[in-house]
Amino acid sequence: MCEAQPAGANYDEAQVPAYTLPELLKCEDGTPVTTADAWTTRRRGEILEQFRSQVFGRSPGRPAGMKWQVTSNDSDALDGKATRREVTIDLLGDDTGPQMHVMIYLPKQPARAPVILGYNFMGNHTIHKDPGITLSQAWMPAKAPGVVDNRATEASRGSRISRWPVEKIVADGFALATVYYGDVEPDHATGWRDGIRARLLPSGKLRAPQASDADTKSTTGAPADAAPDDWGAIGAWAWGLSRVLDYLETDANVDAGRVIVFGHSRLGKTALWAGAEDTRFAAVISNNSGEGGASLARRCYGERTANLNKSFPHWFCGNYKQYSDHEERLPVDAHMLIALSAPRPVYVASAVEDRWADPRGEFLAALAAEPVYRLFKLPGLGVTEWPSVDTPVGQQVRYHVRTGKHDVLEYDWEQYLAFGHSTLGR
Ligand code: GCU
């Protein structure tokens, strides 16, 4: 995993250029959007299309042959406090296609629990020391703890527990569903060769292997035959979250009408896009998602579009490359991505030391998304100024900037659980 943060990024508020955000509530033909209905039936679709064609690319639907199997079920997990269930999704319906290994911790109560669904960065077995969790066999970045020759070893078990307070989540009545994001596509420039994008086209047709697929030196981040608006890796990861939701809809122990999609950092960008593409998700949480996620690109603060395109050429679609150093030409900005969650509850969270992700830009994007919530007569942030650290604000649109660095901490989870209950009920 590259954490590229080159020198020379702007961290000076005085250097933020003057900018005008693309209009949220004006249709492409100039018609003002003044009702919730006009948003839902017209404007939302226009914005979604811009994100598909220029930012994340187009994704297919659910593959016809997709199937799944429950591979383990332990109703006495976590000292009897939870049920641990593992499910393998064969994305193409056979074991030649990528498989997603989903792990779910279900609370004892309620019998049909609301769910927080989020990818993990290093394998299901890293989120808890629980020896019953199947060790991931997938490709892992070399520098992840306990990884040898790009594969996880027993030494990596529990290495990410600080980010996943599992006991607290289940005690609060939520199920936690998680998957290693690399199951769908390994996160590097030629990871698509071993992921879903090598096998499935945005049209939904199967993709035949191409001679050019053998080029391990390719740096474009996409198959040579990909169109500039074909899905990138974030599109593929987001699509994978919808496939997990397809499974959850059939699990009698979860309330599939109350699934919150959650993600941190690149996976926060992914969660926002999953929530935009799939309105079955009942709520969206973006944790420190930054550039290409919740922060306003036009502020040119911290990470820039050019940094994303250079360090992670596989994340976005081909068309996105033309916005390197030209954020002002983007037809959209982060306020529109957040607004695609509306009228569902959305939480944008920042960390004050995470300047690379532009915490203030994340707040300003959430604020600029509010007019859509107003059309639905739903309460937004309730403030117009960037709040003090550790002071969560808002209702249907929520925000906090917490003390500390780029990370997911217990503090964040406390806010998310309270948000889940107050917006979706107990
Ligand atoms: C890098 C990248 C960010 C991303 C982050 C992460 O820092 O530049 O855009 O959010 O990695 O996913 O951890």
Side-chain angles (χ1 to χ4, degrees):
M1 235 173 315
C2 175
E3 305 288 338
Q5 294 195 18
N10 174 43
Y11 293 126
D12 179 0
E13 207 50 52
Q15 302 299 320
V16 169
Y19 61 86
T20 310
L21 293 179
E23 286 207 53
L24 193 55
L25 296 185
K26 191 181 271 180
C27 291
E28 278 159 17
D29 69 359
T31 313
V33 177
T34 56
T35 62
D37 186 59
W39 167 262
T40 306
T41 59
R42 261 193 92 180
R43 184 61 178 142
R44 186 179 191 280
E46 290 182 352
I47 294 173
L48 190 61
E49 170 58 25
Q50 299 278 27
F51 275 100
R52 284 180 181 156
S53 76
Q54 303 300 308
V55 182
F56 297 107
R58 297 180 198 285
S59 302
R62 169 179 170 167
M66 186 176 101
K67 54 179 203 255
W68 51 71
Q69 194 186 341
V70 175
T71 55
S72 78
N73 193 70
D74 179 357
S75 52
D76 202 23
L78 308 181
D79 298 323
K81 293 191 212 83
T83 294
R84 179 191 357 85
R85 185 166 296 160
E86 294 178 308
V87 181
T88 294
I89 303 179
D90 285 316
L91 290 169
L92 299 178
D94 60 36
D95 54 14
T96 68
Q99 296 182 317
M100 297 181 79
H101 301 285
V102 187
M103 177 175 70
I104 312 164
Y105 278 112
L106 295 153
K108 292 290 162 171
Q109 290 295 333
R112 284 173 61 96
V115 185
I116 299 181
L117 166 62
Y119 279 123
N120 60 71
F121 276 87
M122 295 177 187
N124 297 342
H125 63 277
T126 62
I127 80 151
H128 199 280
K129 284 218 156 71
D130 181 347
I133 304 174
T134 303
L135 196 75
S136 175
Q137 306 291 310
W139 178 94
M140 298 276 166
K143 70 176 192 190
V147 168
V148 177
D149 295 335
N150 295 106
R151 301 288 148 178
T153 67
E154 278 295 328
S156 61
R157 204 176 272 287
S159 56
R160 277 295 191 176
I161 44 179
S162 68
R163 285 191 176 174
W164 300 94
V166 180
E167 277 83 354
K168 198 185 190 90
I169 296 169
V170 295
D172 218 37
F174 275 98
L176 175 67
T178 190
V179 190
Y180 170 51
Y181 76 133
D183 282 359
V184 178
E185 174 172 328
D187 187 4
H188 58 86
T190 52
W192 59 266
R193 297 166 72 234
D194 299 309
I196 191 68
R197 287 193 291 150
R199 301 291 314 278
L200 190 62
L201 294 165
S203 64
K205 296 209 171 73
L206 288 179
R207 176 179 177 274
Q210 309 282 317
S212 54
D213 292 2
D215 178 8
T216 53
K217 299 273 182 317
S218 167
T219 55
T220 63
D225 56 323
D229 61 349
D230 278 3
W231 50 348
I234 292 178
W237 296 323
W239 172 90
L241 290 168
S242 289
R243 305 292 69 84
V244 179
L245 185 49
D246 294 337
Y247 162 75
L248 290 172
E249 286 184 328
T250 69
D251 188 318
N253 297 120
V254 307
D255 179 354
R258 288 189 296 158
V259 178
I260 304 175
V261 63
F262 153 85
H264 168 61
S265 205
R266 68 198 68 185
L267 298 177
K269 309 182 212 298
T270 303
L272 283 164
W273 183 233
E277 278 281 36
D278 192 338
T279 55
R280 293 176 300 166
F281 288 113
V284 180
I285 301 172
S286 150
N287 192 88
N288 307 180
S289 63
E291 185 76 10
S295 71
L296 291 175
R298 279 170 172 73
R299 279 171 44 84
C300 303
Y301 184 104
E303 185 168 31
R304 304 277 306 270
T305 303
N307 301 117
L308 284 171
N309 283 327
K310 187 157 176 269
S311 303
F312 311 101
H314 52 300
W315 282 3
F316 295 86
C317 74
N319 279 334
Y320 192 66
K321 306 261 192 314
Q322 62 191 294
Y323 303 105
S324 286
D325 301 318
H326 286 293
E327 285 88 346
E328 77 288 355
R329 293 185 191 159
L330 272 163
V332 289
D333 212 318
H335 62 312
M336 292 168 147
L337 181 58
I338 297 168
L340 289 172
S341 296
R344 297 162 296 163
V346 62
Y347 204 129
V348 174
S350 309
V352 74
E353 288 175 44
D354 185 17
R355 295 184 310 162
W356 182 242
D358 187 10
R360 185 195 291 266
E362 296 189 314
F363 168 73
L364 292 173
L367 186 66
E370 272 190 347
V372 178
Y373 286 82
R374 277 201 284 278
L375 292 179
F376 287 90
K377 305 206 172 10
L378 288 165
L381 294 167
V383 297
T384 53
E385 298 295 323
W386 195 26
S388 315
V389 283
D390 304 330
T391 313
V393 294
Q395 295 189 47
Q396 199 80 356
V397 184
R398 260 181 233 215
Y399 176 85
H400 73 247
V401 51
R402 67 154 167 76
T403 305
K405 296 191 177 29
H406 187 70
D407 203 350
V408 194
L409 301 183
E410 189 128 346
Y411 177 87
D412 300 309
W413 279 107
E414 279 160 13
Q415 313 318 316
Y416 301 153
L417 294 173
F419 163 73
H421 285 309
S422 71
T423 57
L424 303 179
R426 275 210 183 253

